[in-house]
Amino acid sequence: QVLLVESGGGLLQAGGSLRLSCVVSGRTFSDYVMAWFRQAPGKEREFVAVINWSGGSTYYADSVKGRFIISRDNAKNTVYLQMNGLKPEDTALYYCAADTRGVMRIASNYKSWGQGTQVTVSS
């Protein structure tokens, strides 16, 4: 069973930056496609970004394209989400997700999830 643990969330003002981390254990990290999702209160969980097994391909939601960068370090079993130019609408609980089957943008397709890390952006 794979275990995912996110960290790096916090409270900051609009325009600021944060880097989220998700450390994976229990299985071979490079076997997994890794993604970030987020969920704001009263809203459905939404796709943010995904990175393939090698890190050579990445995809982003339109709402974060040009501001967020997903990356991975297979030697450290870690996936990152660098968030720049944060906006109040980015406020949410951010989750990392893992799956071996491929690059996917639908939350229900992912089998493994972390517990989430809160990001709050004030205006």
Side-chain angles (χ1 to χ4, degrees), residues 12-123:
L12 72 166
Q13 291 187 332
S17 297
L18 274 179
R19 189 177 79 158
L20 307 183
S21 300
C22 173
V23 178
V24 178
S25 61
R27 294 290 175 89
T28 303
F29 180 64
S30 58
D31 286 347
Y32 289 89
V33 169
M34 299 298 302
W36 288 95
F37 289 80
R38 66 186 182 186
Q39 188 167 18
K43 295 188 176 181
E44 293 187 353
R45 195 167 298 190
E46 66 171 353
F47 168 76
V48 175
V50 61
I51 188 167
N52 75 342
W53 302 268
S54 67
S57 294
T58 58
Y59 301 92
Y60 298 90
D62 288 343
S63 58
V64 307
K65 200 173 294 183
R67 299 188 297 123
F68 290 11
I69 301 171
I70 187 171
S71 63
R72 67 189 294 160
D73 186 337
N74 285 352
K76 295 183 177 180
N77 292 356
T78 303
V79 62
Y80 304 98
L81 186 68
Q82 177 66 44
M83 304 187 295
N84 303 317
L86 281 160
K87 305 175 181 179
E89 51 264 43
D90 294 318
T91 295
L93 190 59
Y94 282 72
Y95 297 91
C96 66
D99 204 279
T100 59
R101 293 173 293 167
V103 174
M104 301 175 289
R105 305 185 188 211
I106 299 174
S108 59
N109 287 343
Y110 284 83
K111 294 183 176 179
S112 300
W113 291 85
Q115 82 289 347
T117 186
Q118 178 68 38
V119 173
T120 303
V121 184
S122 63
S123 57

